[in-house]
C-alpha cells in the first residue's frame, strides 16, 4: 500500500514496503530524500529513520529526535572527480606510451632460424597412427638373445630380465602428415616401457633425415590434442557461463596475453634483447590489456594498475639482487642447456629473472584488483570514512588475502617441483643440502621473491586506493543532502511518511 503524499513532495520518496514495521520511520515532520552519491540508474534502497531506539545499520532504522528517510545507491562505484582523473592520467598515460615505444623498438619480427639439433624439443615431428600391434617374445627381438645374469634386485637387472623373458609388442605406425605421408615403419615396445601402444592410437613421431631409412622415424609421444582441446573448451564455457561478459573479456585478455608471449617476449629474447627489459615491457603490456579489458577503464582499475606496477618493480629489484648474490646461472636442466647451446648470447640469469616477473604478474593482478575494489566498496558504504579508516579496514581484508594467496603460491611451486622433491627424498639428502643445490635454490628464490612482492602489493594498493577515493570531492548534491538531513531534526510540520527496509 502506498501512503498518499502531497504534490509538492519530491518524486523519489520512500514508500511503505511489505516488510515495514509499525513506527519504523513514522514522523510528524517532512521526510526529505537524501541521495548519497550519483544516482546513475542504480538500485536505491531506502533506510527508514524513526523516533524509536533502533540502531542505524546497513538496512535498519535509526533512533533520532526527528525522523527522516534517505536512500543509498548501490552498484558500480561512481566516477571520481575530473581533477583526480587528470592526476591518474598524468601518471599512467606516459607509462602506457613508454610501453608502446618499447614494444615498437624491441619487436623481434619472429624467432631467428637455426639448424635443428635433433635433441629434446628441437626435432622435426609428424602426426602418425598405430595401425597394427602384434605380441611376440622379447628374446626373439632383443640383440643379446641370452638370459642376463647378475643382480636382479636392482632396477637395471630387473628390467633386463623382463626384456629377455617377457612379451614384447611389434607396432606398425603410419605417418599421417609431411612429405612421407602414408609411409609405415615398425617399432618394438618393451614390456617395462612406460608408454604402451595399442591399435588405432594417434602418436607423435620424430624424423631424423640423416639416419638410415628404416630408423628415420621413431615414436616420441602420444597425440593429446583432442582431450586438451576438449578440456580447454569446457574451461572457456564455464568461464563464460559464470562470468558472462566479464568472463568473455577475461578469455579475450588471456588470448592476447598468449599472443604477446609468443610473438614478442619469446622471440625478442631469442633475438638477443635483454631478458629483463623484454619481461618488464611485455608484462606491463599484458597488465594494461588484462586489467582494463576485464575491469573497465576507470579510476579504480587505474589504482590497481599502479599497485601492480610498484609491486613488479619491487620484485624486479629483489630478484636481480638475490639471483646475483646466490650466483644462480639459470642453466640447470637439459632444456636450458639446449637453449644456451643454441643461443650462447642469451643471459640465462636474466632469463630466470624474467620468468620470476612474468610468473608473479598473474597473482598480483588478483590481489591488487581485490584490494582496490574492497576500498571502493567500503567508501561507498560509508562516504564519511577518512583515508586512515579506509586503509585500516582494507588492510584487514588484505591480511586474509595474503594468508590464502601466499600459501597457494608456495604449494603451486611445490606441486610443480614434486618429482624433484621426491628424488631428493629418495636420496635421503638433508634439507640444507637439498636447498643449497642450484636446482632447488632457483625455485626457492623464485617463490620467495614473488611472495614478497605479493605481500607488499596489499599495503601499497590499499594505501593508494584509500588516498585516491578519500581525496575525491563529493558529488554535486551531497552537500545539500547533508543540510536537509540536519534540517530534518527541526521537525518541520508535514504529513507522516514511512521508511522502507532494504531487503537483504
Amino acid at each position: 500500500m502506498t501512503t498518499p503524499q502531497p504534490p509538492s513532495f519530491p518524486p523519489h520518496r520512500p514508500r511503505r514496503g511489505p516488510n515495514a514495521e509499525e513506527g519504523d520511520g513514522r514522523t510528524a515532520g517532512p521526510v526529505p530524500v537524501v541521495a548519497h552519491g550519483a544516482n546513475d540508474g542504480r538500485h536505491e534502497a531506502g533506510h527508514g529513520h524513526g523516533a524509536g531506539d533502533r540502531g542505524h545499520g546497513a538496512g535498519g532504522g535509526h533512533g533520532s529526535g526527528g525522523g527522516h528517510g534517505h536512500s543509498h545507491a548501490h552498484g558500480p562505484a561512481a566516477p571520481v572527480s575530473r581533477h583526480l582523473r587528470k592526476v591518474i592520467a598524468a601518471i599512467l598515460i606516459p607509462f602506457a606510451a613508454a610501453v608502446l615505444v618499447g614494444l615498437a623498438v624491441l619487436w623481434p619480427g619472429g624467432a631467428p632460424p637455426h639448424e635443428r639439433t635433433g635433441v629434446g624439443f628441437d626435432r622435426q615431428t609428424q602426426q602418425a597412427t598405430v595401425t597394427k600391434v602384434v605380441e611376440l617374445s622379447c628374446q626373439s627381438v632383443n640383440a643379446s638373445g641370452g638370459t642376463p645374469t647378475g643382480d636382479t634386485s636392482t632396477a637395471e637387472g630387473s628390467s633386463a630380465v623382463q626384456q629377455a623373458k617377457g612379451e614384447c609388442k611389434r607396432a606398425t605406425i603410419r605417418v599421417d602428415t609431411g612429405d612421407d605421408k602414408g609411409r609405415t615403419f615398425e617399432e618394438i615396445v618393451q614390456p617395462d616401457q612406460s608408454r604402451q601402444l595399442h591399435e588405432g592410437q594417434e602418436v607423435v613421431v620424430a624424423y631424423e633425415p640423416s639416419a638410415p631409412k628404416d630408423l628415420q622415424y621413431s615414436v616420441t609421444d602420444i597425440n593429446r590434442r583432442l582431450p586438451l582441446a576438449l578440456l580447454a573448451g569446457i574451461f572457456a564455457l564455464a568461464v563464460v557461463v559464470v562470468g558472462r561478459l566479464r568472463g568473455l573479456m577475461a578469455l579475450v585478455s588471456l588470448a592476447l596475453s598468449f599472443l604477446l608471449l609468443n610473438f614478442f617476449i619469446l622471440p625478442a629474447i631469442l633475438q638477443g634483447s635483454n631478458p629483463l627489459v623484454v619481461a618488464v615491457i611485455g608484462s606491463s603490456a599484458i597488465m594494461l590489456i588484462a586489467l582494463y579489458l576485464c575491469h573497465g577503464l576507470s579510476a579504480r582499475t587505474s589504482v590497481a594498475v599502479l599497485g601492480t606496477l610498484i609491486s613488479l618493480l619491487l620484485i624486479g629489484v629483489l630478484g636481480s639482487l638475490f639471483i646475483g648474490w646466490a650466483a644462480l646461472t639459470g642453466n640447470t636442466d637439459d632444456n636450458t642447456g639446449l637453449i644456451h647451446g643454441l643461443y650462447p648470447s642469451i643471459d640465462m640469469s636474466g632469463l630466470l629473472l624474467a620468468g620470476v616477473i612474468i610468473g608473479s604478474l598473474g597473482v598480483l593482478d588478483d590481489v591488487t584488483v581485490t584490494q582496490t575494489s574492497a576500498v571502493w566498496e567500503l567508501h561507498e558504504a560509508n562516504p564519511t570514512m577518512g583515508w586512515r579508516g579506509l586503509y585500516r579496514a582494507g588492510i584487514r581484508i588484505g591480511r586474509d588475502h595474503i594468508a590464502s594467496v601466499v600459501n597457494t603460491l608456495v604449494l603451486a611451486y611445490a606441486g610443480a617441483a614434486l618429482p624433484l622433491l621426491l628424488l631428493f627424498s629418495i636420496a635421503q639428502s638433508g634439507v640444507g643440502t637439498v636447498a643449497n643445490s642450484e636446482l632447488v635454490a632457483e625455485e626457492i628464490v623464485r617463490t620467495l621473491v614473488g611472495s614478497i612482492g605479493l605481500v607488499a602489493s596489499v599495503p601499497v594498493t590499499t594505501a593508494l586506493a584509500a588516498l585516491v577515493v578519500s581525496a575525491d570531492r563529493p558529488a554535486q548534491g551531497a552537500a545539500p543532502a547533508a543540510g536537509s538531513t540536519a534540517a530534518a531534526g527541526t521537525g518541520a510540520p508535514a504529513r507522516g511518511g514511512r521508511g522502507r527496509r532494504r531487503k537483504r
Side-chain angles (χ1 to χ4, degrees):
M1 182 180 68
T2 305
T3 304
Q5 302 291 346
S8 60
F9 248 49
H12 298 290
R13 59 184 177 272
R15 294 178 298 173
R16 178 183 176 88
N19 296 326
E21 298 178 1
E22 290 298 328
D24 187 13
R26 182 177 297 176
T27 65
V31 187
V33 176
V34 181
H36 293 271
N39 185 6
D40 53 359
R42 294 170 292 184
H43 175 69
E44 294 187 356
H47 291 240
H49 293 253
D53 56 355
R54 296 177 176 86
H56 180 63
H62 172 63
S64 60
H68 68 276
H70 65 88
S71 63
H72 283 295
H74 299 276
V80 298
S81 64
R82 180 178 299 178
H83 173 70
L84 273 180
R85 289 200 297 269
K86 288 181 178 179
V87 172
I88 295 173
I91 299 173
L92 288 182
I93 289 179
F95 169 67
V99 171
L100 289 176
V101 171
L103 288 173
V105 171
L106 296 178
W107 194 266
H114 69 275
E115 294 292 333
R116 289 188 178 271
T117 62
V119 178
F121 292 103
D122 194 34
R123 291 179 291 186
Q124 299 182 44
T125 59
Q126 301 294 343
Q127 306 300 315
T129 304
V130 180
T131 59
K132 186 178 180 181
V133 176
V134 177
E135 292 187 355
L136 71 164
S137 172
C138 290
Q139 193 170 8
S140 63
V141 296
N142 288 333
S144 60
T147 302
T149 59
D151 186 6
T152 57
S153 63
T154 63
E156 293 82 1
S158 177
S159 176
V161 170
Q162 288 184 23
Q163 292 181 14
K165 296 183 177 180
E167 290 292 325
C168 294
K169 295 178 182 178
R170 177 186 287 119
T172 304
I173 297 111
R174 182 191 67 239
V175 180
D176 296 332
T177 59
D179 296 336
D180 292 331
K181 182 178 179 180
R183 176 178 169 181
T184 61
F185 66 96
E186 293 182 346
E187 184 162 309
I188 301 300
V189 182
Q190 302 292 343
D192 61 337
Q193 195 168 314
S194 59
R195 182 177 58 246
Q196 296 292 316
L197 302 179
H198 57 81
E199 189 171 332
Q201 189 174 28
E202 295 183 348
V203 295
V204 179
V205 295
Y207 174 64
E208 179 51 59
S210 61
K213 187 173 180 61
D214 56 342
L215 298 176
Q216 288 180 334
Y217 283 97
S218 61
V219 177
T220 61
D221 212 338
I222 305 300
N223 190 339
R224 303 180 180 89
R225 293 186 178 182
L226 180 59
L228 292 180
L230 179 61
L231 183 60
I234 295 173
F235 164 74
L237 181 63
V239 170
V240 173
V241 168
V242 177
R244 300 188 179 181
L245 180 60
R246 189 69 61 86
L248 180 61
M249 291 297 99
L251 293 178
V252 173
S253 69
L254 180 63
L256 293 175
S257 299
F258 272 106
L259 290 176
L260 272 173
L261 185 65
N262 289 323
F263 291 98
F264 173 70
I265 296 178
L266 300 180
I269 293 175
L270 292 177
Q271 291 280 13
S273 299
N274 188 303
L276 178 58
V277 176
V278 172
V280 169
I281 294 174
S283 298
S284 300
I286 291 173
M287 174 185 65
L288 292 172
I289 292 172
L291 289 179
Y292 283 118
L293 192 61
C294 294
H295 304 285
L297 188 63
S298 64
R300 179 159 59 181
T301 307
S302 299
V303 171
V305 169
L306 288 173
T308 305
L309 177 62
I310 294 172
S311 302
L312 281 179
L313 291 175
L314 176 62
I315 289 173
V317 171
L318 288 176
S320 179
L321 174 63
F322 282 94
I323 287 174
W325 193 4
L328 299 177
T329 63
N331 189 3
T332 55
D333 56 22
D334 293 339
N335 292 325
T336 54
L338 177 61
I339 294 172
H340 185 64
L342 293 174
Y343 302 96
S345 61
I346 293 180
D347 180 10
M348 299 304 294
S349 60
L351 186 62
L352 173 61
L353 179 57
V356 172
I357 294 174
I358 295 173
S360 303
L361 178 61
V363 187
L364 280 175
D365 287 354
D366 172 43
V367 173
T368 54
V369 169
T370 301
Q371 287 303 117
T372 306
S373 297
V375 172
W376 241 262
E377 293 303 324
L378 287 168
H379 177 71
E380 286 288 302
N382 187 1
T384 62
M385 188 182 297
W387 79 267
R388 289 184 177 87
L390 289 172
Y391 177 80
R392 285 194 294 266
I395 205 68
R396 286 194 293 269
I397 299 173
R399 291 190 186 105
D400 291 336
H401 205 180
I402 287 172
S404 59
V405 174
V406 167
N407 192 47
T408 301
L409 189 65
V410 173
L411 290 179
Y413 279 118
L418 195 59
L420 177 64
L421 298 177
L422 185 61
L423 184 62
F424 280 109
S425 178
I426 294 172
Q428 296 182 353
S429 300
V431 176
T433 303
V434 172
N436 190 65
S437 65
E438 183 174 0
L439 194 59
V440 177
E442 184 178 293
E443 296 301 326
I444 292 175
V445 171
R446 190 196 311 270
T447 304
L448 295 182
V449 167
S451 298
I452 291 172
L454 183 66
V455 171
S457 70
V458 171
V460 168
T461 307
T462 305
L464 284 174
L467 288 171
V468 168
V469 77
S470 63
D472 197 17
R473 295 290 181 266
Q476 290 184 359
S484 299
T485 303
T490 62
R495 299 185 64 175
R498 298 183 184 274
R500 185 174 60 187
R501 179 170 297 176
R502 187 179 65 180
K503 294 182 179 180
R504 293 182 182 272

